[in-house]
Amino acid sequence: MKYRQVKRPRPDMKTAHNFFKEGSFSIDPIAHYTSSEEREAEIEAIAEDLEQLAKKFPRTQNIEYALLKAHLIIEHVLLQYIRAYATTHVAVKDVKAGFAQKLEIAYLLGFGVNDPRMLPTVEGLNRLRNQIAHTFELDRARLDEILRINSEDYDNFSVSTDRQRVTRLRQICRYLCARVSGQMMGEFAVVQYFEEERQQEWKSSR
């Protein structure tokens, strides 16, 4: 069955007035929430988007440029995370928030709660991006600290060139895209499994 996205009505003043005039307000999931089928299709689309996004990290040796592009990639990851975990359907254009606000919302929805590196990595890269934007300078020591906590060999971590820094920054972006995509797909599958089990138990009890 082809997936058709249904536009969700956002309650407004007219909705409130109609509640009193008509005496009821529909809480039908089809009217106000994303259905299970729509959620599955949306998550699959987001996972595909993140897979393609991971490939868009630039081929460059300029660390400042690489960091700015990484920031854009990570911001999009946060946006897609919010869309995947929001109760209602949220289009990309509907999330009107800055980077810090997106990160806060994503965190409240569970971003990084099971990975000690994700939140400090994203927060640290955001601070470095702002430093470049405002001072045209980059604190490489702070960047190296971020790269180190994302290194497979924490104790023996070492970088000496910007080329190496760019390579490790690319790896971080790919990891975040894959981590978020895998988390969404995995958690949705678990929810679906228990929902199907619940429905089977309900049918069996009738």
Side-chain angles (χ1 to χ4, degrees):
M1 182 179 69
K2 186 177 181 180
Y3 167 58
R4 181 175 67 85
Q5 192 176 84
V6 179
K7 183 174 178 58
R8 293 295 181 275
R10 181 187 177 99
D12 53 16
M13 286 299 290
K14 182 179 179 181
T15 308
H17 285 298
N18 286 341
F19 166 73
F20 287 99
K21 291 177 182 179
E22 300 172 3
S24 66
F25 178 68
S26 172
I27 57 172
D28 181 359
I30 300 301
H32 297 283
Y33 294 90
T34 304
S35 69
S36 178
E37 293 77 12
E38 289 174 319
R39 176 71 66 189
E40 181 177 13
E42 191 72 25
I43 287 178
E44 288 178 354
I46 289 174
E48 174 63 24
D49 176 71
L50 293 180
E51 182 179 345
Q52 297 303 316
L53 182 67
K55 301 175 183 178
K56 294 182 179 180
F57 192 93
R59 294 184 177 278
T60 180
Q61 295 184 31
N62 185 307
I63 186 60
E64 288 85 358
Y65 176 64
L67 184 57
L68 293 176
K69 293 294 287 188
H71 189 268
L72 291 173
I73 290 172
I74 293 170
E75 184 168 17
H76 190 73
V77 170
L78 295 175
L79 170 61
Q80 294 292 47
Y81 189 96
I82 292 169
R83 294 184 63 237
Y85 285 91
T87 301
T88 57
H89 170 73
V90 182
V92 171
K93 62 182 178 59
D94 292 334
V95 183
K96 304 183 186 303
F99 187 97
Q101 288 75 28
K102 288 188 181 82
L103 178 56
E104 185 65 19
I105 295 170
Y107 175 68
L108 293 174
L109 292 173
F111 179 85
V113 296
N114 293 320
D115 188 325
R117 300 174 297 173
M118 288 175 68
L119 202 62
T121 293
V122 174
E123 288 177 332
L125 292 176
N126 184 47
R127 282 193 291 269
L128 289 175
R129 178 268 174 196
N130 291 337
Q131 181 188 51
I132 293 174
H134 296 134
T135 68
F136 301 100
E137 296 180 358
L138 172 62
D139 186 341
R140 283 173 172 76
R142 179 175 291 182
L143 174 59
D144 290 350
E145 181 182 11
I146 295 170
L147 299 179
R148 183 183 185 190
I149 65 172
N150 286 275
S151 172
E152 294 182 358
D153 191 352
Y154 177 87
D155 292 328
N156 298 311
F157 170 81
S158 176
V159 292
S160 58
T161 67
D162 283 350
R163 183 173 184 176
Q164 292 174 331
R165 293 183 175 94
V166 170
T167 297
R168 291 179 179 272
L169 197 56
R170 179 184 294 111
Q171 292 170 348
I172 289 175
C173 288
R174 288 179 176 174
Y175 170 77
L176 288 174
C177 288
R179 176 71 168 77
V180 168
S181 177
Q183 178 182 336
M184 290 187 305
M185 297 290 286
E187 290 184 358
F188 180 78
V190 170
V191 170
Q192 283 295 93
Y193 171 79
F194 283 108
E195 177 62 22
E196 290 172 1
E197 287 288 301
R198 186 187 66 81
Q199 291 179 2
Q200 287 295 331
E201 291 177 1
W202 180 77
K203 290 178 181 179
S204 300
S205 65
R206 294 189 68 184

